[in-house]
Amino acid sequence: MTTIQSKPQIISVALDIPLYQTFSYIHDKPLANGQRVLVEFQHKKVVGFVWGEDKPTTYSPANLKPILEVYPEIIFDDIISLIKFCATYYHYPIGGVIFNALPKILKQAKPVNVSPAKSNQVPSSSPRMTSNTSPKMTGEQQAIFDDISKYLTQFHPSIIYGVTGSGKTQLYLQLINEVLKHGRQVLVLVPEINLTPQMLERFQTKFSDKNITILTSHATPRARYLGYLAAQNGHAQIIIGTRLSVFTPFANLGLIVVDEEHDQSFKQNDNLRYHARDLAIWRASQNSIPVILGSATPSLESLFNYKQGRYHLYRLNNRAVANASLPKIELVDLNFHKTNHGLTQVVIDAMKERLTRKELSMVFINRRGYSPILSCNECGWVSTCKQCSTTMVYHKVNHNLKCHHCGYTLFIPPKCPSCSSQYLQALGDGTQKIEAIIEEFFPDARIERIDQDTTNTKSSWNDLYTKINNNEIDILVGTQMLAKGHDFHNLTLVVGLNIDSGLYSYDFRASELLFTQLTQVAGRSGRGDKKGQVLLQTKYPGHELYQYLITNDSPGFINYLLLQRKNLHLPPYIHYAMFRASGREIAKVMDYLQSVAKLMQKIAIKGVTINPAVPSVIQRLKNKERAQILIQSLERQQLHMLFDKLLPLLQQMKPKYSITWIIDIDPYEV
Ligand SMILES: [Zn+2]
Ligand SMILES: [Zn+2]
């Protein structure tokens, strides 16, 4: 009998450090990739994850610190490959990707001590109905179901392009049911705002005997970790979660559904700037499983992929409820119709009519607070944030000014801080102001305001649904929170106010976003058997966007936008990356970016355009001055080549002052 003498091993460990490298430690035997360990780094005990094989190194093992502790947790293989892909694709430090992706509990430098007694399985608050109560599929739904069911064991990316109210969720439920029958698990990604009590209830009703786990940003660290474990050990059959859930490990994943795939909240806009939909597609291709992208207004990126032959497309053209038709969308031309406190007589009359008929109206204005600006009549002072180059929003309800970018809050100054004048005025309209105006017009109406300030918790949504179901609300006033996924059967009028700002914006995605929002918000109307009406107040009724909208011609608008993007050399016809930097002084940030731009020019990749450095649109954010370089490329590969060559050079080029920078691939923030 021989004993194998264990030999000291050099182990690479990824740490939560913004550097593009791993760190070497010593241990008496090899450790598996993804193993959670405790090490010392800069005199502190920190947690790390074993990453990569032993690299040829000049260190002598004698100079290396030991691994202090080896924890039992280990990152699952399919997540390891996702993390690797993320680090390469987004050019982000590997440690940063790992620490973004994992549940908080695994990042703590101590043993995990979580008993899996309670999980964040959906609590059964009411008696569960049996699973055969779901309505029969329509012919359209059935045909799509039959086709996708043929591809359950292969990569099959498909867009389900269905008008609002066409029953996309019903189709998901049937497909999920089919996948569960084969003993496989399902990941459903939803925008946070769409995870409504109604949606959950439909899942609970359909899958009353299954383990459904919810992973949102509201989940406690413990709940999130338990959900993570339940998916990893195969106990959870369905995971419904927001963006971050795309990093959930699965024992046997069989299907990914991305609901409202166009939603911009799938893109993370800080730290690791990943896009959860894109990662979901990558995971599906790695696992050879179908992935479904559902939307009434699919993103241009996804439709472009369909046109390129990479994705499949299925259409749902009709509303699922018998006799329900798409609402009639009408434009109220503000050049002809005078407004009284922002409302035209057409709108006031339509609301009056709904009150008489005891039907629900909804007023959409995509700005919360009372007014976006408080200003001085005498000297022109405006309420700017001291930490950001933005204005602070006047909130009448709390009697304060609040920056919606950094959260900085101030009491309303009793007089102008600049000239001491008493005459401060609120400019522009927000939800609070519109609510107040409608109260004046209809003093007897029961009005409810829905925005981030009033309706941010699950219980507030539940209260709202109860009130609506009991016919205790006549008029809803709210932001885009109202637009998502809700099904109010008695809602027959939708009014859109101040919608024009998205028409002419510096952000090339603004018109796509506006069209999507208006389609979604209009789609709330007339979902039951009562006909819906939509009134949009605009100064530009002739604009193409509105013309496509009133004819419910979303495919037409998308083709129009795609052509525009093609002609203007914009994504998805061209690939974008943004090199962003921030620091205390804009001059130094610009100075740094100019030298980075020079480096990029020197690397000189053919087909890649490097634009001059410019300050960001919101130049100061949370006390940091920000600027950026836009990089464009016809080929994605070329873009990656540039950054692969740039990164080592950047590491050597240490700025003289404190500058942080990040690469943003496929940026959404312009
Ligand atoms: Zn003043
Ligand atoms: Zn601010």
Side-chain angles (χ1 to χ4, degrees):
M1 208 173 91
T2 54
T3 42
I4 299 164
Q5 192 68 44
S6 65
K7 165 168 149 268
Q9 303 279 326
I10 296 173
I11 309 275
S12 305
V13 176
L15 300 174
D16 192 12
I17 308 285
L19 290 175
Y20 287 79
Q21 65 175 91
T22 52
F23 296 85
S24 297
Y25 289 87
I26 195 96
H27 193 61
D28 56 9
K29 54 177 184 275
L31 289 174
N33 228 9
Q35 188 85 46
R36 200 169 89 95
V37 294
L38 187 72
V39 295
E40 193 188 306
F41 185 80
Q42 292 179 342
H43 313 292
K44 269 167 82 179
K45 284 182 184 174
V46 295
V47 76
F49 292 85
V50 174
W51 204 262
E53 303 79 46
D54 297 351
K55 273 181 280 180
T57 170
T58 49
Y59 299 129
S60 104
N63 294 335
L64 292 177
K65 288 182 194 136
I67 286 191
L68 300 174
E69 202 160 333
V70 178
Y71 295 123
E73 297 81 25
I74 186 162
I75 307 173
F76 248 40
D77 273 353
D78 65 329
I79 296 306
I80 285 191
S81 52
L82 181 65
I83 287 169
K84 275 186 189 158
F85 171 75
C86 241
T88 314
Y89 185 85
Y90 292 110
H91 301 274
Y92 201 75
I94 191 72
V97 178
I98 297 174
F99 280 81
N100 259 279
L102 295 183
K104 222 182 221 151
I105 282 181
L106 290 178
K107 305 175 201 169
Q108 294 169 351
K110 57 181 184 190
V112 171
N113 184 16
V114 171
S115 60
K118 276 196 318 201
S119 80
N120 55 328
Q121 215 183 326
V122 182
S124 45
S125 47
S126 55
R128 303 270 179 96
M129 282 171 268
T130 51
S131 55
N132 50 20
T133 52
S134 55
K136 225 172 132 25
M137 279 193 279
T138 63
E140 274 187 329
Q141 290 168 341
Q142 185 70 48
I144 301 174
F145 172 84
D146 290 344
D147 198 69
I148 295 181
S149 301
K150 289 184 220 151
Y151 305 102
L152 293 187
T153 54
Q154 54 182 277
F155 177 51
H156 187 78
S158 33
I159 303 169
I160 295 183
Y161 187 172
V163 299
T164 51
S166 59
K168 288 184 290 293
T169 309
Q170 160 73 350
L171 186 54
Y172 304 155
L173 294 176
Q174 298 294 345
L175 284 162
I176 289 168
N177 192 38
E178 200 58 26
V179 170
L180 295 182
K181 273 190 211 160
H182 292 83
R184 306 190 75 178
Q185 297 167 286
V186 178
L187 171 63
V188 183
L189 292 175
V190 291
E192 180 96 44
I193 213 166
N194 280 64
L195 200 55
T196 59
Q198 269 180 337
M199 184 184 187
L200 287 182
E201 200 184 305
R202 292 187 66 180
F203 272 82
Q204 289 164 28
T205 307
K206 173 82 186 164
F207 304 111
S208 52
D209 55 340
K210 300 285 190 286
N211 179 324
I212 303 172
T213 296
I214 312 297
L215 294 179
T216 66
S217 61
H218 295 300
T220 62
R222 182 176 174 279
R224 185 167 268 283
Y225 182 60
L226 288 175
Y228 179 93
L229 283 185
Q232 178 170 291
N233 62 29
H235 182 59
Q237 282 120 329
I238 302 171
I239 294 274
I240 305 176
T242 46
R243 186 170 68 212
L244 188 61
S245 322
V246 77
F247 292 103
T248 310
F250 283 89
N252 189 9
L253 186 59
L255 170 70
I256 306 178
V257 176
V258 185
D259 187 31
E260 307 294 341
E261 67 91 25
H262 62 271
D263 198 283
Q264 296 199 357
S265 71
F266 286 124
K267 166 85 176 174
Q268 176 153 298
N269 279 327
D270 54 14
N271 302 319
L272 172 63
R273 290 176 171 245
Y274 67 96
H275 200 302
R277 176 199 60 214
D278 297 349
L279 292 183
I281 289 161
W282 188 85
R283 273 193 90 171
S285 79
Q286 292 298 298
N287 287 295
S288 300
I289 56 169
V291 54
I292 290 169
L293 311 177
S295 177
T297 50
S299 65
L300 292 193
E301 282 77 9
S302 296
L303 287 168
F304 180 72
N305 277 319
Y306 158 68
K307 285 178 193 279
Q308 298 287 303
R310 288 191 283 261
Y311 294 178
H312 304 265
L313 181 82
Y314 301 95
R315 299 287 302 268
L316 284 169
N317 293 313
N318 300 307
R319 286 199 151 176
V321 172
N323 300 326
S325 54
L326 286 173
K328 187 159 183 258
I329 303 177
E330 295 158 69
L331 302 174
V332 184
D333 187 347
L334 291 176
N335 300 298
F336 289 99
H337 295 275
K338 285 229 156 46
T339 58
N340 182 357
H341 290 86
L343 300 180
T344 55
Q345 197 58 42
V346 183
V347 162
I348 295 167
D349 289 345
M351 290 172 76
K352 211 179 272 172
E353 202 184 309
R354 294 321 185 285
L355 285 171
T356 321
R357 297 210 303 246
K358 303 217 177 313
E359 292 171 5
L360 183 63
S361 305
M362 183 169 114
V363 180
F364 165 71
I365 176 161
N366 210 2
R367 197 180 260 148
R368 66 194 169 97
Y370 189 85
S371 286
I373 302 170
L374 192 68
S375 166
C376 170
N377 261 350
E378 307 268 325
C379 74
W381 169 89
V382 288
S383 53
T384 47
C385 176
K386 71 168 193 181
Q387 308 197 88
C388 313
S389 45
T390 54
T391 57
M392 295 181 80
V393 177
Y394 170 38
H395 285 250
K396 197 175 185 178
V397 174
N398 300 323
H399 202 66
N400 64 17
L401 291 170
K402 189 170 184 183
C403 172
H404 287 182
H405 293 271
C406 71
Y408 183 67
T409 307
L410 279 178
F411 279 115
I412 305 287
K415 53 191 182 192
C416 171
S418 165
C419 75
S420 300
S421 157
Q422 304 285 330
Y423 299 103
L424 295 177
Q425 61 170 351
L427 297 178
D429 301 339
T431 45
Q432 291 177 6
K433 188 169 173 185
I434 294 300
E435 182 190 22
I437 291 170
I438 293 174
E439 264 167 18
E440 295 226 342
F441 277 113
F442 306 108
D444 298 329
R446 296 157 305 172
I447 304 167
E448 191 87 18
R449 176 163 54 87
I450 313 296
D451 56 32
Q452 243 186 78
D453 303 311
T454 61
T455 317
N456 212 6
T457 61
K458 210 166 127 190
S459 63
S460 48
W461 277 121
N462 281 328
D463 290 350
L464 178 71
Y465 277 97
T466 312
K467 277 187 182 169
I468 288 178
N469 286 336
N470 296 343
N471 286 328
E472 287 168 19
I473 298 177
D474 301 310
I475 301 167
L476 292 168
V477 178
T479 59
Q480 59 151 347
M481 285 179 89
L482 276 179
K484 310 293 182 96
H486 307 291
D487 222 335
F488 307 130
H489 276 264
N490 198 29
L491 176 68
T492 60
L493 174 68
V494 169
V495 174
L497 302 179
N498 290 18
I499 53 176
D500 288 334
S501 58
L503 293 178
Y504 304 100
S505 166
Y506 58 85
D507 180 358
F508 70 87
R509 282 195 173 88
S511 54
E512 183 186 2
L513 182 63
L514 176 62
F515 188 83
T516 300
Q517 278 181 352
L518 292 177
T519 305
Q520 297 285 349
V521 88
R524 297 312 109 207
S525 169
R527 292 169 79 99
D529 46 11
K530 289 176 196 152
K531 182 107 184 100
Q533 185 187 23
V534 180
L535 295 173
L536 304 175
Q537 291 192 173
T538 171
K539 276 193 183 122
Y540 308 97
H543 195 282
E544 284 95 337
L545 186 147
Y546 295 136
Q547 292 305 313
Y548 285 109
L549 195 70
I550 57 175
T551 48
N552 279 309
D553 186 7
S554 143
F557 181 67
I558 283 158
N559 284 331
Y560 158 81
L561 270 191
L562 278 172
L563 186 68
Q564 203 179 48
R565 298 265 185 100
K566 191 178 183 180
N567 291 337
L568 296 173
H569 303 287
L570 290 167
Y573 290 90
I574 208 161
H575 302 287
Y576 266 25
M578 203 74 92
F579 188 95
R580 305 178 187 279
S582 64
R584 292 182 71 88
E585 289 169 52
I586 190 66
K588 288 177 177 169
V589 176
M590 288 293 286
D591 194 47
Y592 175 71
L593 280 182
Q594 272 143 15
S595 42
V596 173
K598 262 189 213 146
L599 265 184
M600 291 183 187
Q601 303 285 8
K602 228 163 136 188
I603 296 168
I605 305 277
K606 218 176 140 222
V608 174
T609 310
I610 291 126
N611 292 278
V614 290
S616 307
V617 175
I618 298 177
Q619 185 183 314
R620 198 171 75 252
L621 190 69
K622 300 178 188 174
N623 271 334
K624 291 265 177 66
E625 297 286 340
R626 315 183 312 149
Q628 63 203 36
I629 302 170
L630 171 66
I631 304 121
Q632 295 153 300
S633 172
L634 278 172
E635 300 294 329
R636 190 174 280 291
Q637 214 43 47
Q638 258 78 328
L639 208 56
H640 288 308
M641 257 162 70
L642 172 75
F643 290 119
D644 286 341
K645 295 200 170 160
L646 178 71
L647 280 174
L649 301 175
L650 281 183
Q651 308 268 34
Q652 294 160 19
M653 192 181 88
K654 294 254 157 62
K656 288 189 284 290
Y657 14 78
S658 167
I659 301 269
T660 46
W661 54 266
I662 189 165
I663 295 163
D664 189 355
I665 302 285
D666 312 324
Y668 273 61
E669 190 191 335
V670 291

